[in-house]
Amino acid sequence: MSLKARKKIIVQAAALLAAGMSQVAVAQTAASPQLERVVVTGSNIKRVEAETAEPILKISRDDIANSGKATLTEYLQSLSLDGQGSLPTGFGNGFAAGATAISLRGLGANATLVLLNGRRLAPYPRADDFQKMFADLSSVPLEAVDRIEVLKDGASAVYGSDALAGVVNIILKRDYKGFVGKVETGTSRYGDGNRAKVAVTAGAGDMATDKWNILLNIEASKTDEIHYRDRDRKWIGKGDTRPWGYDPFESQWTPGYNVGNTASASVAGLIRNGTTSGAYQTVSPCTSALTAVVMPKFTGDNGCSYDIGQLRSFQPKLQSLSMFTRGTVALSDEWEASVEASFGQNKTGFDVSLLGTPGTIVGPYGVRGYGTGINVPELTLSANHPDNPFGKAVRFRYAFGEFGPQRRTNDVDISRVMASVKGTAAGWDIDAAIAHSESKLDQDYTLLSIQGLINAFSSPTTPSLGYYRMGANAGSNSQLLRDSILTHGVSISKTKLDIVDIKASRELVELPGGPLGLALGAEYRKLNLSAPSLSGTDTGAVQASYNGFFGSEKVSAAYAELLAPVVKSVELSAAVRYDKYDSFSSTTPKVAAKFVPIPQLALRASYAEGFRAPNPAEASPNAQAVFATGSIYDPVRCPNHVQAPGATAADCNGSAVGGFARGNPDLKPEKSKNINFGFIVEPMKNLNFGADFWQIKKTDQIQSISGQEAFNRPDVVRSDNNLVDANGNVIPNSGSAILIYAPFVNKGSSKVSGVDFDFGYRWSIENIGRFKADLHWTRTQKWQLTDNGETLDYAGTHGNCDVSNCIGTPKDKANVAVTWETSTFGLTALMNWRSSLENKNFKGDDCQQSFADGTPANGCKLPSFYSVDLSGRWNITRSLQLYGSISNLFDRVAPIDTITYGGINYNPMDVAGAMGRYYNIGLRYQFR
């Protein structure tokens, strides 16, 4: 290109930058009579689609397609609005393994309300962290999505419970006529994680002319499983972090060690010296012949540590099928009726770690632990066992390397049927519906049979099978003996949600700025939850603790809303809702205002109160779940932090104790107060910028009492190794703690605040094409938790683990997208970025992780991370399109993160950096 031609293009570009092309919606102050009036998320009053007083992020079908993301979950979790507490697909070790969720403002998945076409879905049948119930995003049919609207402030006054942090409304196509077929495939740079997808969407009939329409969407996909051992990416998935300066004894991913009197289940077999010190010793030498995952021994380890990263799945095996159909018919010129039905199926399979002999397991039957049998037999190594040199029954620890990793499968079926009518009567726009949705989860986990273990290690009931040998001797075990130990735990969990609602809106009087709008509505919901624990956990028959949830809730609600365009430049709105539950009621108001002093500037503000009702997993007395506590001290064996005679250092320094959470029917709802104010400015055509300050204060938080608080309750379960006082008298109920009970209660408050920045620019260059650039940046200034009179701030740190699953709370997250397109070609570059984190649980805390030499690891920081995705489109003909994408274009490696448990040595927010570069290509055929 000549210099003269380049100058011409630059001059043209400058002219376009100065003049712009068109005015964006924010500058509109009056509705054009030709524009359709629609209902926007967060309101039930029809209006001309424009910027409202509430901040709404509108995501188009093209935005999703241009991102190159393969699933709806991947797209939503890349948004700057998504924070701690969201659930990624690869979190197979969690309570809600296989499900996905979004967490606006980092307040947790249960504080974000997800709607499909403006109505609720049945929640996932297993509560994450045995508390958080949420709508699973993985079953939403991506190709049927028309747009997504994310309401970024509280909306309980319109939608009721769970909308504390905001609302994600997924809106499917309506009145669609035509056909779209897609086939696509993808693979990683390592040639694994292969993905295949087929999708068909067809619609017929036109409501305007034919008076009917029918839509059908079918999608099927399959993604191959990836194991961490297949990832040669520095520290990604490698439990042994010695090459990067860490102490392996501090790693959560290298069990099997035997250091001093501390031992965990080992592939070499560990037996406790029953005659002298009580220390553990190995049954056989630690060699790689035991299992392919044995680590090179490290100083001080007399056991046989192994690397979980060589066993666990990085990405589960995924198979999904979804079907959606809707039929709509005009009943008259004023009324129409619709029936829609959907079905989604997701099958996941995930490898976790080695199965090992149990430490403490808990259930309704009582407690089982080493040296502590309550209502069930203890598991010890028989005095006659050939691997026992002590001549008496002793405790032992063994990880079954010969079995390979535990396998978990989660198969989810989600179904929904809804019938609705819409129309106009007596000046009212009426919308009524009845809906039923279900979510069913089949779980199947490979487990160890407790009776099989007792027979094999303590008292063989079949002499011909003999004792089960450990470590290097495991090869002599017969297949029949192995089969007698392995079993399966299964469960079928269900949620059912029934909804009946009706809403109506109309214009009342004409105000100087437009018509005064009124909306009224009523709703009835009934939710049933049945989530039994894995089979055998209720009796102690298998090596797994009990986690079961049962309950129901009924809700009746009524609400009203007003929209008042007082003058051309001022719009006011207000809403109030009353919800009646079985055990409480709630009234939540909301007010908002928009002021447009000049066409290029809009100011807006809102105040809302919200609530989150205690769900059945939290409130039902039939809900019980086991959890592992953090390091806490025992006030009985260590009064005033002073070690009592006969106690151990662990009693004072803190040791992990089993915890049992229970539902509490006396819970009150969580309450919130939301403040939002900001502006949108259009300094020139096609260039707009906006900022919104937001603050959410939540009180009466529902959480289980802390482990330390539970220690002060009278129902602590203890061993029989009671302490003895100075006179030689046994102190009753002073043995080592085995189990603490931690019921859910209303306690503490939290305050989260920050700013959202949004920038958009559109321009064209003659003979070159159309361009657009978008920036969405969320800064979380504070994330404070107040409990027992103490306030902690987690913003910019690796906490709060209770909400974030130890993912952390970055202060800044941003998405930047730049698109170039012509009638034939399109190209989009998308950058996702998060800021660095202090490796501290909260601001001002000590560093959580150190190198082996005692210095703070990586300067006590988790570095910032970004990845760039590139997607392209080629319209070969008017009907045929070739498209493709490259995720993590520059193949950047996620920073090492040894604290989170959502990924092995990487943060789940940085999953693209753990996966590596990924390629996707597809064909799309369309006609209308």
Side-chain angles (χ1 to χ4, degrees):
M1 183 182 295
S2 68
L3 180 60
K4 182 177 180 180
R6 291 175 182 171
K7 287 182 177 179
K8 181 179 179 182
I9 292 175
I10 293 172
V11 170
Q12 291 172 336
L16 288 170
L17 285 170
M21 294 174 60
S22 64
Q23 190 170 358
V24 294
V26 66
Q28 296 175 344
T29 57
S32 169
Q34 286 78 33
L35 294 178
E36 181 184 3
R37 293 164 58 246
V38 298
V39 174
V40 179
T41 299
S43 173
N44 287 309
I45 299 175
K46 287 186 175 181
R47 69 184 80 197
V48 173
E49 189 169 10
E51 293 294 336
T52 67
E54 295 90 355
I56 298 177
L57 174 63
K58 298 174 183 178
I59 302 167
S60 69
R61 172 76 208 159
D62 288 342
D63 292 332
I64 300 173
N66 293 348
S67 72
K69 302 297 185 184
T71 66
L72 184 64
T73 299
E74 287 181 25
Y75 181 85
L76 289 175
Q77 291 185 345
S78 71
L79 297 176
S80 64
L81 297 168
D82 183 50
Q84 57 173 333
S86 63
L87 294 175
T89 304
F91 196 16
N93 197 38
F95 282 85
T100 57
I102 184 174
S103 170
L104 297 179
R105 307 305 187 199
L107 285 172
N110 57 354
T112 299
L113 180 61
V114 175
L115 305 174
L116 185 66
N117 290 335
R119 291 183 169 91
R120 293 172 182 255
L121 298 166
Y124 188 74
R126 299 297 294 186
D128 186 42
D129 288 339
F130 51 84
Q131 179 183 10
K132 305 163 191 169
M133 299 192 69
F134 59 91
D136 182 12
L137 294 170
S138 60
S139 63
V140 176
L142 178 62
E143 299 306 320
V145 173
D146 178 68
R147 68 188 187 278
I148 301 172
E149 295 177 349
V150 182
L151 180 63
K152 298 189 286 184
D153 67 349
S156 288
V158 176
Y159 299 112
S161 179
D162 307 335
L164 274 69
V167 178
V168 177
N169 188 12
I170 303 167
I171 302 167
L172 304 185
K173 295 177 180 178
R174 284 187 60 85
D175 200 15
Y176 176 78
K177 185 177 181 181
F179 172 87
V180 176
K182 291 179 65 174
V183 292
E184 64 182 52
T185 185
T187 188
S188 78
R189 57 157 286 201
Y190 298 93
D192 60 10
N194 298 326
R195 180 169 57 211
K197 180 178 180 180
V198 178
V200 173
T201 304
D206 187 291
M207 290 299 299
T209 57
D210 303 321
K211 304 301 182 182
W212 62 272
N213 177 261
I214 187 169
L215 171 70
L216 175 65
N217 167 261
I218 301 175
E219 300 178 25
S221 66
K222 178 181 179 182
T223 305
D224 292 344
E225 188 171 0
I226 301 175
H227 285 86
Y228 279 110
R229 59 178 175 266
D230 301 321
R231 280 288 168 278
D232 185 17
R233 294 180 66 77
K234 297 183 179 179
W235 44 75
I236 302 297
K238 296 176 175 61
D240 186 359
T241 53
R242 282 177 291 178
W244 298 281
Y246 293 87
D247 184 346
F249 184 60
E250 298 293 330
S251 174
Q252 60 182 309
W253 309 113
T254 55
Y257 51 78
N258 178 27
V259 179
N261 289 324
T262 303
S264 62
S266 168
V267 293
L270 292 172
I271 54 176
R272 192 179 187 193
N273 190 322
T275 59
T276 56
S277 66
Y280 283 86
Q281 64 187 51
T282 56
V283 171
S284 62
C286 182
T287 66
S288 59
L290 295 175
T291 171
V293 296
V294 169
M295 294 167 49
K297 289 183 69 67
F298 55 88
T299 304
D301 178 19
N302 298 313
C304 194
S305 294
Y306 61 93
D307 189 338
I308 290 179
Q310 296 300 299
L311 298 163
R312 182 170 290 189
S313 300
F314 163 61
Q315 174 180 278
K317 177 182 178 181
L318 297 166
Q319 288 180 274
S320 66
L321 171 67
S322 68
M323 293 178 285
F324 174 81
T325 184
R326 179 198 291 117
T328 307
V329 61
L331 303 176
S332 67
D333 290 340
E334 302 293 334
W335 288 86
E336 67 177 42
S338 295
V339 176
E340 62 182 52
S342 61
F343 173 77
Q345 184 179 75
N346 290 283
K347 297 178 178 293
T348 63
F350 201 93
D351 285 342
V352 185
S353 184
L354 298 182
L355 294 164
T357 54
T360 300
I361 59 173
V362 185
Y365 53 84
V367 182
R368 181 199 302 282
Y370 282 100
T372 312
I374 299 178
N375 301 333
V376 290
E378 290 187 59
L379 178 61
T380 57
L381 200 64
S382 168
N384 299 319
H385 195 290
D387 291 332
N388 183 358
F390 299 115
K392 59 182 294 187
V394 294
R395 304 178 196 177
F396 71 103
R397 301 285 178 95
Y398 185 54
F400 293 82
E402 58 270 30
F403 291 159
Q406 181 196 43
R407 186 69 175 175
R408 299 181 179 182
T409 62
N410 295 285
D411 297 344
V412 184
D413 293 341
I414 300 176
S415 58
R416 181 174 181 262
V417 178
M418 186 179 79
S420 65
V421 292
K422 291 182 179 182
T424 303
W428 290 87
D429 291 324
I430 300 172
D431 183 355
I434 181 171
H436 174 81
S437 58
E438 294 187 11
S439 182
K440 181 171 77 74
L441 169 66
D442 289 354
Q443 292 182 301
D444 188 330
Y445 287 15
T446 305
L447 298 173
L448 296 174
S449 164
I450 294 295
Q451 191 59 52
L453 291 172
I454 293 172
N455 294 342
F457 289 96
S458 298
S459 55
T461 56
T462 306
S464 61
L465 292 180
Y467 286 103
Y468 195 96
R469 304 298 301 278
M470 294 183 285
N473 301 317
S476 64
N477 297 315
S478 68
Q479 190 60 46
L480 285 176
L481 185 54
R482 292 187 177 193
D483 291 342
S484 71
I485 291 175
L486 279 179
T487 187
H488 286 263
V490 298
S491 74
I492 299 178
S493 303
K494 291 183 179 181
T495 54
K496 296 181 180 181
L497 179 65
D498 292 292
I499 301 175
V500 179
D501 68 30
I502 182 170
K503 46 194 174 185
S505 65
R506 67 169 299 158
E507 297 174 358
L508 297 178
V509 296
E510 191 71 22
L511 298 178
L516 175 66
L518 170 68
L520 301 173
E523 177 184 5
Y524 173 80
R525 299 195 311 270
K526 181 179 180 181
L527 172 66
N528 286 304
L529 167 66
S530 174
S533 186
L534 292 170
S535 57
T537 57
D538 54 339
T539 62
V542 295
Q543 173 261 330
S545 290
Y546 181 91
N547 294 286
F549 313 91
F550 303 89
S552 64
E553 67 179 22
K554 298 177 182 178
V555 189
S556 299
Y559 49 92
E561 180 187 359
L562 278 173
L563 176 65
V566 182
V567 294
K568 293 293 184 181
S569 60
V570 178
E571 176 185 287
L572 303 178
S573 61
V576 64
R577 179 181 173 112
Y578 174 79
D579 289 85
K580 179 66 173 69
Y581 286 73
D582 292 335
S583 58
F584 71 91
S585 61
S586 176
T587 301
T588 47
K590 182 172 184 176
V591 292
K594 184 179 72 171
F595 175 46
V596 185
I598 58 175
Q600 293 79 22
L601 175 65
L603 308 175
R604 60 189 178 195
S606 64
Y607 169 81
E609 295 181 8
F611 76 101
R612 186 182 73 81
N615 61 52
E618 297 166 321
S620 172
N622 297 318
Q624 303 179 81
V626 176
F627 65 95
T629 68
S631 295
I632 51 180
Y633 81 95
D634 188 336
V636 171
R637 297 173 64 84
C638 185
N640 299 317
H641 296 274
V642 177
Q643 183 176 336
T648 66
D651 294 323
C652 293
N653 297 334
S655 59
V657 179
F660 209 18
R662 285 174 167 169
N664 180 1
D666 296 325
L667 288 174
K668 298 182 295 183
E670 295 181 340
K671 297 179 181 179
S672 71
K673 293 183 178 180
N674 299 47
I675 299 172
N676 192 99
F677 60 85
F679 67 88
I680 305 175
V681 61
E682 187 188 22
M684 53 187 291
K685 291 181 180 180
N686 285 330
L687 173 65
N688 60 82
F689 171 79
D692 286 281
F693 168 83
W694 48 269
Q695 176 181 286
I696 303 172
K697 185 174 183 179
K698 186 168 66 168
T699 56
D700 289 332
Q701 292 192 155
I702 299 173
Q703 54 186 321
S704 60
I705 63 174
S706 69
Q708 200 62 63
E709 290 174 296
F711 247 132
N712 296 320
R713 290 170 55 91
D715 52 4
V716 177
V717 179
R718 296 181 177 276
S719 182
D720 55 6
N721 59 334
N722 289 316
L723 300 176
V724 178
D725 63 20
N727 297 319
N729 299 316
V730 173
I731 302 174
N733 200 32
S734 63
S736 299
I738 302 167
L739 180 71
I740 56 177
Y741 289 97
F744 288 108
V745 295
N746 293 102
K747 64 191 296 279
S749 64
S750 59
K751 184 165 67 173
V752 186
S753 63
V755 184
D756 292 333
F757 299 96
D758 299 286
F759 169 88
Y761 183 49
R762 308 289 184 267
W763 74 99
S764 295
I765 299 177
E766 186 179 354
N767 299 325
I768 299 296
R770 301 175 300 278
F771 296 83
K772 63 178 180 178
D774 293 286
L775 164 67
H776 301 289
W777 171 22
T778 296
R779 179 170 179 80
T780 302
Q781 190 64 32
K782 292 182 179 179
W783 207 113
Q784 295 178 329
L785 176 66
T786 301
D787 194 9
N788 296 324
E790 182 182 23
T791 298
L792 305 177
D793 192 352
Y794 296 97
T797 73
H798 217 300
N800 168 359
C801 280
D802 290 338
V803 175
S804 74
N805 302 325
C806 290
I807 290 174
T809 312
K811 276 198 168 186
D812 297 283
K813 291 185 68 177
N815 315 115
V816 181
V818 179
T819 297
W820 162 77
E821 57 187 2
T822 68
S823 58
T824 305
F825 298 101
L827 194 66
T828 298
L830 172 65
M831 184 184 75
N832 300 309
W833 171 82
R834 64 150 181 87
S835 60
S836 63
L837 296 172
E838 292 184 72
N839 267 337
K840 300 177 179 180
N841 186 37
F842 53 86
K843 284 185 179 180
D845 193 21
D846 295 332
C847 190
Q848 291 190 86
Q849 190 62 271
S850 300
F851 287 131
D853 62 7
T855 60
N858 298 313
C860 202
K861 277 190 177 295
L862 175 66
S864 63
F865 180 75
Y866 74 88
S867 63
V868 175
D869 303 332
L870 188 67
S871 66
R873 302 155 295 283
W874 174 25
N875 298 322
I876 302 172
T877 67
R878 292 184 61 184
S879 299
L880 184 63
Q881 181 187 77
L882 175 68
Y883 63 92
S885 64
I886 304 175
S887 301
N888 195 1
L889 177 67
F890 303 116
D891 200 30
R892 301 189 73 247
V893 179
I896 187 169
D897 185 350
T898 61
I899 296 175
T900 181
Y901 56 84
I904 297 183
N905 291 329
Y906 76 93
N907 197 292
M909 289 186 289
D910 308 336
V911 64
M915 169 67 78
R917 189 181 294 120
Y918 196 93
Y919 307 93
N920 193 73
I921 191 169
L923 277 173
R924 183 177 189 268
Y925 181 78
Q926 172 180 345
F927 67 82
R928 297 197 69 171

